[in-house]
Amino acid sequence: MFVRRKLNKSGSISIRVLSKRNGRNVLCALLAGRGLRRRSARWSVGHDFINTYGGQTVFDFEAHQQTQRQTQLDNVVSRIVDTLAYKLCKELERLLHTLGVTISVDKALDIAKTISTVMVALPGGTPDTRITLMTEEQRQLQPLLPPTNS
């Protein structure tokens, strides 16, 4: 809601309290009177109406600018993440092609999610990592995996 003054043909000033709906101004209240010639009186009458019947009287520019900065930052971060994901996908596609694996990148990622890794602490404090490849599809991705400690 916001307040607008309107100069009438008779010379008096009326106060209109408007609300924006679907891109159009909708009249919520029309306030008129002889005592509304002073600017402060006009605004106080309009703002009193808004305070009584609800609505926003003050636009918080600082909060709006903060929201815009956060949105811009989110857009930049989103673009960076999208670019990195694209680069990783293309690199995985290149590696699969180089190794002669005939599965798609999406299928390779789905298979990689099913590969289990076991890490065991041996006596003496040295860790031993083993990757378990159970299916033939998982074995196709073995050249992409890091070597295990044997």
Side-chain angles (χ1 to χ4, degrees), residues 40-84:
S40 61
R42 289 194 305 259
W43 293 112
S44 67
V45 168
H47 287 288
D48 288 345
F49 177 85
I50 290 174
N51 288 333
T52 303
Y53 296 104
Q56 183 176 349
T57 59
V58 179
F59 186 76
D60 189 358
F61 286 100
E62 197 169 303
H64 179 69
Q65 289 174 347
Q66 179 67 26
T67 303
Q68 280 185 327
R69 282 191 294 268
Q70 185 64 40
T71 302
Q72 290 170 350
L73 181 63
D74 290 347
N75 289 342
V76 169
V77 169
S78 176
R79 274 188 260 142
I80 290 171
V81 169
D82 289 346
T83 303
L84 286 174

mmCIF file of all heavy atoms in Angstrom, residues 40-84:
data_model
loop_
_atom_site.group_PDB
_atom_site.id
_atom_site.type_symbol
_atom_site.label_atom_id
_atom_site.label_comp_id
_atom_site.label_asym_id
_atom_site.label_seq_id
_atom_site.Cartn_x
_atom_site.Cartn_y
_atom_site.Cartn_z
ATOM 1 N N SER A 40 2.375 17.609 5.690
ATOM 2 C CA SER A 40 2.494 16.670 6.809
ATOM 3 C C SER A 40 1.135 16.094 7.190
ATOM 4 O O SER A 40 1.028 14.922 7.535
ATOM 5 C CB SER A 40 3.146 17.356 8.011
ATOM 6 O OG SER A 40 2.357 18.449 8.442
ATOM 7 N N ALA A 41 0.096 16.904 7.102
ATOM 8 C CA ALA A 41 -1.251 16.414 7.422
ATOM 9 C C ALA A 41 -1.697 15.382 6.400
ATOM 10 O O ALA A 41 -2.297 14.369 6.751
ATOM 11 C CB ALA A 41 -2.237 17.566 7.470
ATOM 12 N N ARG A 42 -1.382 15.630 5.122
ATOM 13 C CA ARG A 42 -1.764 14.678 4.067
ATOM 14 C C ARG A 42 -1.128 13.316 4.315
ATOM 15 O O ARG A 42 -1.795 12.296 4.287
ATOM 16 C CB ARG A 42 -1.313 15.195 2.701
ATOM 17 C CG ARG A 42 -2.081 16.381 2.201
ATOM 18 C CD ARG A 42 -1.801 16.614 0.729
ATOM 19 N NE ARG A 42 -0.387 16.757 0.430
ATOM 20 C CZ ARG A 42 0.240 17.909 0.224
ATOM 21 N NH1 ARG A 42 -0.434 19.033 0.307
ATOM 22 N NH2 ARG A 42 1.511 17.937 -0.075
ATOM 23 N N TRP A 43 0.169 13.327 4.554
ATOM 24 C CA TRP A 43 0.866 12.060 4.718
ATOM 25 C C TRP A 43 0.457 11.355 5.993
ATOM 26 O O TRP A 43 0.306 10.142 6.011
ATOM 27 C CB TRP A 43 2.383 12.259 4.690
ATOM 28 C CG TRP A 43 2.854 12.693 3.339
ATOM 29 C CD1 TRP A 43 3.367 13.902 3.009
ATOM 30 C CD2 TRP A 43 2.790 11.939 2.127
ATOM 31 N NE1 TRP A 43 3.644 13.947 1.666
ATOM 32 C CE2 TRP A 43 3.298 12.748 1.097
ATOM 33 C CE3 TRP A 43 2.357 10.673 1.798
ATOM 34 C CZ2 TRP A 43 3.392 12.334 -0.222
ATOM 35 C CZ3 TRP A 43 2.451 10.267 0.488
ATOM 36 C CH2 TRP A 43 2.960 11.087 -0.497
ATOM 37 N N SER A 44 0.250 12.109 7.066
ATOM 38 C CA SER A 44 -0.114 11.455 8.319
ATOM 39 C C SER A 44 -1.486 10.797 8.219
ATOM 40 O O SER A 44 -1.689 9.702 8.743
ATOM 41 C CB SER A 44 -0.062 12.430 9.489
ATOM 42 O OG SER A 44 -1.065 13.406 9.351
ATOM 43 N N VAL A 45 -2.426 11.438 7.526
ATOM 44 C CA VAL A 45 -3.760 10.850 7.357
ATOM 45 C C VAL A 45 -3.657 9.562 6.545
ATOM 46 O O VAL A 45 -4.237 8.527 6.899
ATOM 47 C CB VAL A 45 -4.728 11.852 6.684
ATOM 48 C CG1 VAL A 45 -6.004 11.160 6.238
ATOM 49 C CG2 VAL A 45 -5.042 12.984 7.624
ATOM 50 N N GLY A 46 -2.893 9.595 5.465
ATOM 51 C CA GLY A 46 -2.735 8.402 4.626
ATOM 52 C C GLY A 46 -2.024 7.280 5.363
ATOM 53 O O GLY A 46 -2.440 6.126 5.312
ATOM 54 N N HIS A 47 -0.973 7.634 6.096
ATOM 55 C CA HIS A 47 -0.230 6.602 6.826
ATOM 56 C C HIS A 47 -1.033 6.063 8.012
ATOM 57 O O HIS A 47 -0.903 4.883 8.344
ATOM 58 C CB HIS A 47 1.122 7.149 7.282
ATOM 59 C CG HIS A 47 2.094 7.303 6.146
ATOM 60 N ND1 HIS A 47 2.680 6.230 5.526
ATOM 61 C CD2 HIS A 47 2.559 8.398 5.498
ATOM 62 C CE1 HIS A 47 3.472 6.654 4.560
ATOM 63 N NE2 HIS A 47 3.411 7.975 4.521
ATOM 64 N N ASP A 48 -1.838 6.912 8.617
ATOM 65 C CA ASP A 48 -2.713 6.424 9.686
ATOM 66 C C ASP A 48 -3.680 5.377 9.148
ATOM 67 O O ASP A 48 -3.951 4.370 9.797
ATOM 68 C CB ASP A 48 -3.492 7.577 10.323
ATOM 69 C CG ASP A 48 -2.617 8.466 11.182
ATOM 70 O OD1 ASP A 48 -1.486 8.035 11.514
ATOM 71 O OD2 ASP A 48 -3.053 9.583 11.501
ATOM 72 N N PHE A 49 -4.210 5.636 7.951
ATOM 73 C CA PHE A 49 -5.114 4.656 7.346
ATOM 74 C C PHE A 49 -4.385 3.331 7.108
ATOM 75 O O PHE A 49 -4.893 2.260 7.435
ATOM 76 C CB PHE A 49 -5.667 5.181 6.014
ATOM 77 C CG PHE A 49 -6.548 4.184 5.309
ATOM 78 C CD1 PHE A 49 -7.889 4.089 5.621
ATOM 79 C CD2 PHE A 49 -6.027 3.306 4.370
ATOM 80 C CE1 PHE A 49 -8.696 3.151 4.998
ATOM 81 C CE2 PHE A 49 -6.821 2.373 3.743
ATOM 82 C CZ PHE A 49 -8.155 2.300 4.055
ATOM 83 N N ILE A 50 -3.192 3.412 6.548
ATOM 84 C CA ILE A 50 -2.436 2.187 6.259
ATOM 85 C C ILE A 50 -2.122 1.443 7.553
ATOM 86 O O ILE A 50 -2.254 0.217 7.626
ATOM 87 C CB ILE A 50 -1.143 2.518 5.479
ATOM 88 C CG1 ILE A 50 -1.512 2.967 4.065
ATOM 89 C CG2 ILE A 50 -0.213 1.311 5.418
ATOM 90 C CD1 ILE A 50 -0.339 3.458 3.258
ATOM 91 N N ASN A 51 -1.707 2.179 8.594
ATOM 92 C CA ASN A 51 -1.385 1.528 9.868
ATOM 93 C C ASN A 51 -2.612 0.876 10.481
ATOM 94 O O ASN A 51 -2.527 -0.177 11.111
ATOM 95 C CB ASN A 51 -0.777 2.529 10.845
ATOM 96 C CG ASN A 51 0.632 2.925 10.446
ATOM 97 O OD1 ASN A 51 1.325 2.163 9.789
ATOM 98 N ND2 ASN A 51 1.029 4.118 10.818
ATOM 99 N N THR A 52 -3.767 1.500 10.300
ATOM 100 C CA THR A 52 -5.000 0.961 10.869
ATOM 101 C C THR A 52 -5.469 -0.275 10.116
ATOM 102 O O THR A 52 -5.850 -1.275 10.715
ATOM 103 C CB THR A 52 -6.117 2.024 10.834
ATOM 104 O OG1 THR A 52 -5.667 3.177 11.523
ATOM 105 C CG2 THR A 52 -7.381 1.506 11.481
ATOM 106 N N TYR A 53 -5.405 -0.236 8.788
ATOM 107 C CA TYR A 53 -5.977 -1.308 7.977
ATOM 108 C C TYR A 53 -4.942 -2.250 7.363
ATOM 109 O O TYR A 53 -5.269 -3.111 6.568
ATOM 110 C CB TYR A 53 -6.866 -0.708 6.883
ATOM 111 C CG TYR A 53 -8.033 0.014 7.466
ATOM 112 C CD1 TYR A 53 -8.069 1.397 7.515
ATOM 113 C CD2 TYR A 53 -9.099 -0.693 8.019
ATOM 114 C CE1 TYR A 53 -9.138 2.067 8.075
ATOM 115 C CE2 TYR A 53 -10.170 -0.028 8.589
ATOM 116 C CZ TYR A 53 -10.184 1.350 8.614
ATOM 117 O OH TYR A 53 -11.234 2.007 9.166
ATOM 118 N N GLY A 54 -3.679 -2.072 7.712
ATOM 119 C CA GLY A 54 -2.634 -2.984 7.240
ATOM 120 C C GLY A 54 -1.985 -2.514 5.969
ATOM 121 O O GLY A 54 -2.502 -1.689 5.235
ATOM 122 N N GLY A 55 -0.800 -3.037 5.724
ATOM 123 C CA GLY A 55 -0.065 -2.685 4.515
ATOM 124 C C GLY A 55 1.306 -2.162 4.864
ATOM 125 O O GLY A 55 1.612 -1.871 6.008
ATOM 126 N N GLN A 56 2.128 -2.027 3.865
ATOM 127 C CA GLN A 56 3.499 -1.569 4.067
ATOM 128 C C GLN A 56 3.561 -0.073 3.836
ATOM 129 O O GLN A 56 3.129 0.434 2.819
ATOM 130 C CB GLN A 56 4.431 -2.287 3.094
ATOM 131 C CG GLN A 56 5.878 -1.931 3.269
ATOM 132 C CD GLN A 56 6.766 -2.734 2.358
ATOM 133 O OE1 GLN A 56 6.309 -3.679 1.751
ATOM 134 N NE2 GLN A 56 8.002 -2.355 2.257
ATOM 135 N N THR A 57 4.115 0.660 4.776
ATOM 136 C CA THR A 57 4.191 2.104 4.650
ATOM 137 C C THR A 57 5.567 2.583 4.224
ATOM 138 O O THR A 57 5.701 3.589 3.587
ATOM 139 C CB THR A 57 3.853 2.794 5.985
ATOM 140 O OG1 THR A 57 4.766 2.353 6.971
ATOM 141 C CG2 THR A 57 2.450 2.481 6.394
ATOM 142 N N VAL A 58 6.598 1.847 4.575
ATOM 143 C CA VAL A 58 7.957 2.283 4.297
ATOM 144 C C VAL A 58 8.678 1.174 3.542
ATOM 145 O O VAL A 58 8.620 0.016 3.931
ATOM 146 C CB VAL A 58 8.709 2.587 5.612
ATOM 147 C CG1 VAL A 58 10.138 3.006 5.320
ATOM 148 C CG2 VAL A 58 7.991 3.662 6.391
ATOM 149 N N PHE A 59 9.333 1.546 2.475
ATOM 150 C CA PHE A 59 10.133 0.589 1.722
ATOM 151 C C PHE A 59 11.538 0.602 2.294
ATOM 152 O O PHE A 59 12.177 1.636 2.378
ATOM 153 C CB PHE A 59 10.151 0.961 0.238
ATOM 154 C CG PHE A 59 10.841 -0.045 -0.616
ATOM 155 C CD1 PHE A 59 10.214 -1.234 -0.933
ATOM 156 C CD2 PHE A 59 12.116 0.180 -1.094
ATOM 157 C CE1 PHE A 59 10.837 -2.180 -1.709
ATOM 158 C CE2 PHE A 59 12.749 -0.754 -1.878
ATOM 159 C CZ PHE A 59 12.110 -1.939 -2.193
ATOM 160 N N ASP A 60 12.033 -0.549 2.700
ATOM 161 C CA ASP A 60 13.342 -0.657 3.322
ATOM 162 C C ASP A 60 14.392 -0.861 2.230
ATOM 163 O O ASP A 60 14.635 -1.974 1.777
ATOM 164 C CB ASP A 60 13.349 -1.827 4.321
ATOM 165 C CG ASP A 60 14.602 -1.852 5.160
ATOM 166 O OD1 ASP A 60 15.481 -0.994 4.953
ATOM 167 O OD2 ASP A 60 14.699 -2.728 6.031
ATOM 168 N N PHE A 61 15.003 0.255 1.784
ATOM 169 C CA PHE A 61 15.969 0.190 0.700
ATOM 170 C C PHE A 61 17.210 -0.605 1.082
ATOM 171 O O PHE A 61 17.779 -1.310 0.265
ATOM 172 C CB PHE A 61 16.383 1.608 0.257
ATOM 173 C CG PHE A 61 15.327 2.297 -0.519
ATOM 174 C CD1 PHE A 61 14.510 3.225 0.080
ATOM 175 C CD2 PHE A 61 15.132 2.011 -1.851
ATOM 176 C CE1 PHE A 61 13.518 3.862 -0.634
ATOM 177 C CE2 PHE A 61 14.145 2.639 -2.583
ATOM 178 C CZ PHE A 61 13.336 3.568 -1.971
ATOM 179 N N GLU A 62 17.634 -0.492 2.330
ATOM 180 C CA GLU A 62 18.836 -1.196 2.769
ATOM 181 C C GLU A 62 18.638 -2.711 2.689
ATOM 182 O O GLU A 62 19.489 -3.435 2.191
ATOM 183 C CB GLU A 62 19.189 -0.780 4.186
ATOM 184 C CG GLU A 62 20.599 -1.129 4.581
ATOM 185 C CD GLU A 62 20.987 -0.468 5.887
ATOM 186 O OE1 GLU A 62 20.911 0.757 5.989
ATOM 187 O OE2 GLU A 62 21.363 -1.232 6.797
ATOM 188 N N ALA A 63 17.497 -3.177 3.172
ATOM 189 C CA ALA A 63 17.208 -4.614 3.109
ATOM 190 C C ALA A 63 17.055 -5.067 1.658
ATOM 191 O O ALA A 63 17.497 -6.161 1.291
ATOM 192 C CB ALA A 63 15.953 -4.942 3.897
ATOM 193 N N HIS A 64 16.455 -4.208 0.825
ATOM 194 C CA HIS A 64 16.280 -4.539 -0.590
ATOM 195 C C HIS A 64 17.640 -4.665 -1.281
ATOM 196 O O HIS A 64 17.862 -5.597 -2.048
ATOM 197 C CB HIS A 64 15.425 -3.482 -1.276
ATOM 198 C CG HIS A 64 15.206 -3.722 -2.730
ATOM 199 N ND1 HIS A 64 14.434 -4.772 -3.190
ATOM 200 C CD2 HIS A 64 15.673 -3.087 -3.827
ATOM 201 C CE1 HIS A 64 14.429 -4.752 -4.506
ATOM 202 N NE2 HIS A 64 15.175 -3.741 -4.921
ATOM 203 N N GLN A 65 18.556 -3.744 -0.999
ATOM 204 C CA GLN A 65 19.891 -3.806 -1.599
ATOM 205 C C GLN A 65 20.635 -5.042 -1.118
ATOM 206 O O GLN A 65 21.340 -5.688 -1.888
ATOM 207 C CB GLN A 65 20.678 -2.539 -1.275
ATOM 208 C CG GLN A 65 20.174 -1.316 -2.018
ATOM 209 C CD GLN A 65 20.874 -0.042 -1.578
ATOM 210 O OE1 GLN A 65 21.562 -0.024 -0.568
ATOM 211 N NE2 GLN A 65 20.671 1.020 -2.338
ATOM 212 N N GLN A 66 20.485 -5.374 0.170
ATOM 213 C CA GLN A 66 21.125 -6.579 0.705
ATOM 214 C C GLN A 66 20.593 -7.824 0.003
ATOM 215 O O GLN A 66 21.346 -8.727 -0.343
ATOM 216 C CB GLN A 66 20.893 -6.676 2.221
ATOM 217 C CG GLN A 66 21.498 -7.899 2.864
ATOM 218 C CD GLN A 66 23.014 -7.881 2.829
ATOM 219 O OE1 GLN A 66 23.621 -6.834 2.775
ATOM 220 N NE2 GLN A 66 23.613 -9.043 2.839
ATOM 221 N N THR A 67 19.274 -7.862 -0.229
ATOM 222 C CA THR A 67 18.665 -8.992 -0.930
ATOM 223 C C THR A 67 19.181 -9.073 -2.366
ATOM 224 O O THR A 67 19.468 -10.159 -2.863
ATOM 225 C CB THR A 67 17.131 -8.854 -0.932
ATOM 226 O OG1 THR A 67 16.685 -8.762 0.414
ATOM 227 C CG2 THR A 67 16.460 -10.032 -1.600
ATOM 228 N N GLN A 68 19.313 -7.918 -3.026
ATOM 229 C CA GLN A 68 19.835 -7.910 -4.392
ATOM 230 C C GLN A 68 21.274 -8.406 -4.434
ATOM 231 O O GLN A 68 21.643 -9.179 -5.310
ATOM 232 C CB GLN A 68 19.772 -6.509 -4.984
ATOM 233 C CG GLN A 68 18.409 -6.124 -5.496
ATOM 234 C CD GLN A 68 18.438 -4.772 -6.179
ATOM 235 O OE1 GLN A 68 19.195 -3.882 -5.799
ATOM 236 N NE2 GLN A 68 17.606 -4.605 -7.177
ATOM 237 N N ARG A 69 22.103 -7.962 -3.470
ATOM 238 C CA ARG A 69 23.498 -8.419 -3.427
ATOM 239 C C ARG A 69 23.558 -9.926 -3.203
ATOM 240 O O ARG A 69 24.353 -10.624 -3.823
ATOM 241 C CB ARG A 69 24.267 -7.683 -2.335
ATOM 242 C CG ARG A 69 24.675 -6.278 -2.726
ATOM 243 C CD ARG A 69 25.655 -5.708 -1.732
ATOM 244 N NE ARG A 69 25.090 -5.494 -0.426
ATOM 245 C CZ ARG A 69 24.537 -4.368 -0.002
ATOM 246 N NH1 ARG A 69 24.477 -3.330 -0.800
ATOM 247 N NH2 ARG A 69 24.040 -4.263 1.205
ATOM 248 N N GLN A 70 22.714 -10.444 -2.305
ATOM 249 C CA GLN A 70 22.698 -11.884 -2.040
ATOM 250 C C GLN A 70 22.258 -12.657 -3.271
ATOM 251 O O GLN A 70 22.816 -13.697 -3.591
ATOM 252 C CB GLN A 70 21.774 -12.192 -0.848
ATOM 253 C CG GLN A 70 21.790 -13.642 -0.435
ATOM 254 C CD GLN A 70 23.158 -14.089 0.069
ATOM 255 O OE1 GLN A 70 23.824 -13.354 0.777
ATOM 256 N NE2 GLN A 70 23.564 -15.279 -0.310
ATOM 257 N N THR A 71 21.261 -12.132 -4.004
ATOM 258 C CA THR A 71 20.793 -12.777 -5.226
ATOM 259 C C THR A 71 21.895 -12.794 -6.275
ATOM 260 O O THR A 71 22.102 -13.807 -6.947
ATOM 261 C CB THR A 71 19.550 -12.053 -5.771
ATOM 262 O OG1 THR A 71 18.537 -12.061 -4.766
ATOM 263 C CG2 THR A 71 19.010 -12.722 -7.021
ATOM 264 N N GLN A 72 22.618 -11.679 -6.416
ATOM 265 C CA GLN A 72 23.723 -11.630 -7.372
ATOM 266 C C GLN A 72 24.809 -12.623 -6.994
ATOM 267 O O GLN A 72 25.346 -13.322 -7.852
ATOM 268 C CB GLN A 72 24.298 -10.216 -7.444
ATOM 269 C CG GLN A 72 23.379 -9.220 -8.107
ATOM 270 C CD GLN A 72 23.859 -7.790 -7.960
ATOM 271 O OE1 GLN A 72 24.785 -7.513 -7.210
ATOM 272 N NE2 GLN A 72 23.223 -6.884 -8.686
ATOM 273 N N LEU A 73 25.126 -12.704 -5.706
ATOM 274 C CA LEU A 73 26.130 -13.654 -5.239
ATOM 275 C C LEU A 73 25.673 -15.085 -5.497
ATOM 276 O O LEU A 73 26.452 -15.928 -5.954
ATOM 277 C CB LEU A 73 26.411 -13.450 -3.749
ATOM 278 C CG LEU A 73 27.456 -14.361 -3.125
ATOM 279 C CD1 LEU A 73 28.819 -14.118 -3.768
ATOM 280 C CD2 LEU A 73 27.526 -14.138 -1.632
ATOM 281 N N ASP A 74 24.399 -15.373 -5.230
ATOM 282 C CA ASP A 74 23.859 -16.710 -5.492
ATOM 283 C C ASP A 74 23.957 -17.058 -6.975
ATOM 284 O O ASP A 74 24.271 -18.193 -7.333
ATOM 285 C CB ASP A 74 22.405 -16.811 -5.028
ATOM 286 C CG ASP A 74 22.262 -16.800 -3.518
ATOM 287 O OD1 ASP A 74 23.281 -16.959 -2.823
ATOM 288 O OD2 ASP A 74 21.120 -16.615 -3.036
ATOM 289 N N ASN A 75 23.682 -16.076 -7.849
ATOM 290 C CA ASN A 75 23.772 -16.311 -9.289
ATOM 291 C C ASN A 75 25.203 -16.623 -9.707
ATOM 292 O O ASN A 75 25.433 -17.512 -10.528
ATOM 293 C CB ASN A 75 23.244 -15.112 -10.068
ATOM 294 C CG ASN A 75 21.747 -14.957 -9.957
ATOM 295 O OD1 ASN A 75 21.048 -15.888 -9.593
ATOM 296 N ND2 ASN A 75 21.245 -13.773 -10.242
ATOM 297 N N VAL A 76 26.172 -15.889 -9.157
ATOM 298 C CA VAL A 76 27.579 -16.135 -9.493
ATOM 299 C C VAL A 76 27.999 -17.517 -9.020
ATOM 300 O O VAL A 76 28.619 -18.279 -9.773
ATOM 301 C CB VAL A 76 28.478 -15.032 -8.872
ATOM 302 C CG1 VAL A 76 29.943 -15.413 -8.966
ATOM 303 C CG2 VAL A 76 28.231 -13.701 -9.556
ATOM 304 N N VAL A 77 27.657 -17.869 -7.781
ATOM 305 C CA VAL A 77 28.017 -19.185 -7.252
ATOM 306 C C VAL A 77 27.354 -20.283 -8.068
ATOM 307 O O VAL A 77 27.973 -21.301 -8.385
ATOM 308 C CB VAL A 77 27.638 -19.290 -5.755
ATOM 309 C CG1 VAL A 77 27.752 -20.707 -5.253
ATOM 310 C CG2 VAL A 77 28.509 -18.359 -4.927
ATOM 311 N N SER A 78 26.114 -20.080 -8.447
ATOM 312 C CA SER A 78 25.394 -21.070 -9.248
ATOM 313 C C SER A 78 26.086 -21.273 -10.596
ATOM 314 O O SER A 78 26.243 -22.412 -11.062
ATOM 315 C CB SER A 78 23.952 -20.625 -9.453
ATOM 316 O OG SER A 78 23.277 -21.518 -10.281
ATOM 317 N N ARG A 79 26.520 -20.168 -11.231
ATOM 318 C CA ARG A 79 27.223 -20.280 -12.511
ATOM 319 C C ARG A 79 28.544 -21.022 -12.352
ATOM 320 O O ARG A 79 28.918 -21.828 -13.202
ATOM 321 C CB ARG A 79 27.459 -18.895 -13.115
ATOM 322 C CG ARG A 79 26.262 -18.430 -13.931
ATOM 323 C CD ARG A 79 26.566 -17.167 -14.667
ATOM 324 N NE ARG A 79 25.957 -16.101 -13.868
ATOM 325 C CZ ARG A 79 26.465 -14.921 -13.667
ATOM 326 N NH1 ARG A 79 27.614 -14.575 -14.177
ATOM 327 N NH2 ARG A 79 25.837 -14.034 -12.934
ATOM 328 N N ILE A 80 29.269 -20.753 -11.264
ATOM 329 C CA ILE A 80 30.547 -21.430 -11.022
ATOM 330 C C ILE A 80 30.322 -22.927 -10.832
ATOM 331 O O ILE A 80 31.032 -23.755 -11.413
ATOM 332 C CB ILE A 80 31.262 -20.811 -9.800
ATOM 333 C CG1 ILE A 80 31.754 -19.407 -10.138
ATOM 334 C CG2 ILE A 80 32.424 -21.687 -9.354
ATOM 335 C CD1 ILE A 80 32.267 -18.636 -8.949
ATOM 336 N N VAL A 81 29.321 -23.287 -10.024
ATOM 337 C CA VAL A 81 29.025 -24.702 -9.783
ATOM 338 C C VAL A 81 28.604 -25.385 -11.080
ATOM 339 O O VAL A 81 29.045 -26.507 -11.378
ATOM 340 C CB VAL A 81 27.942 -24.850 -8.687
ATOM 341 C CG1 VAL A 81 27.421 -26.269 -8.616
ATOM 342 C CG2 VAL A 81 28.495 -24.411 -7.346
ATOM 343 N N ASP A 82 27.763 -24.726 -11.866
ATOM 344 C CA ASP A 82 27.335 -25.307 -13.136
ATOM 345 C C ASP A 82 28.521 -25.522 -14.072
ATOM 346 O O ASP A 82 28.620 -26.555 -14.740
ATOM 347 C CB ASP A 82 26.291 -24.421 -13.817
ATOM 348 C CG ASP A 82 24.957 -24.439 -13.110
ATOM 349 O OD1 ASP A 82 24.744 -25.326 -12.267
ATOM 350 O OD2 ASP A 82 24.115 -23.562 -13.409
ATOM 351 N N THR A 83 29.427 -24.544 -14.120
ATOM 352 C CA THR A 83 30.600 -24.657 -14.983
ATOM 353 C C THR A 83 31.500 -25.798 -14.536
ATOM 354 O O THR A 83 31.978 -26.594 -15.355
ATOM 355 C CB THR A 83 31.390 -23.331 -14.988
ATOM 356 O OG1 THR A 83 30.522 -22.281 -15.409
ATOM 357 C CG2 THR A 83 32.587 -23.405 -15.923
ATOM 358 N N LEU A 84 31.728 -25.900 -13.222
ATOM 359 C CA LEU A 84 32.561 -26.993 -12.708
ATOM 360 C C LEU A 84 31.932 -28.355 -12.989
ATOM 361 O O LEU A 84 32.627 -29.300 -13.378
ATOM 362 C CB LEU A 84 32.797 -26.815 -11.210
ATOM 363 C CG LEU A 84 33.779 -25.722 -10.821
ATOM 364 C CD1 LEU A 84 33.806 -25.554 -9.307
ATOM 365 C CD2 LEU A 84 35.163 -26.024 -11.340
#
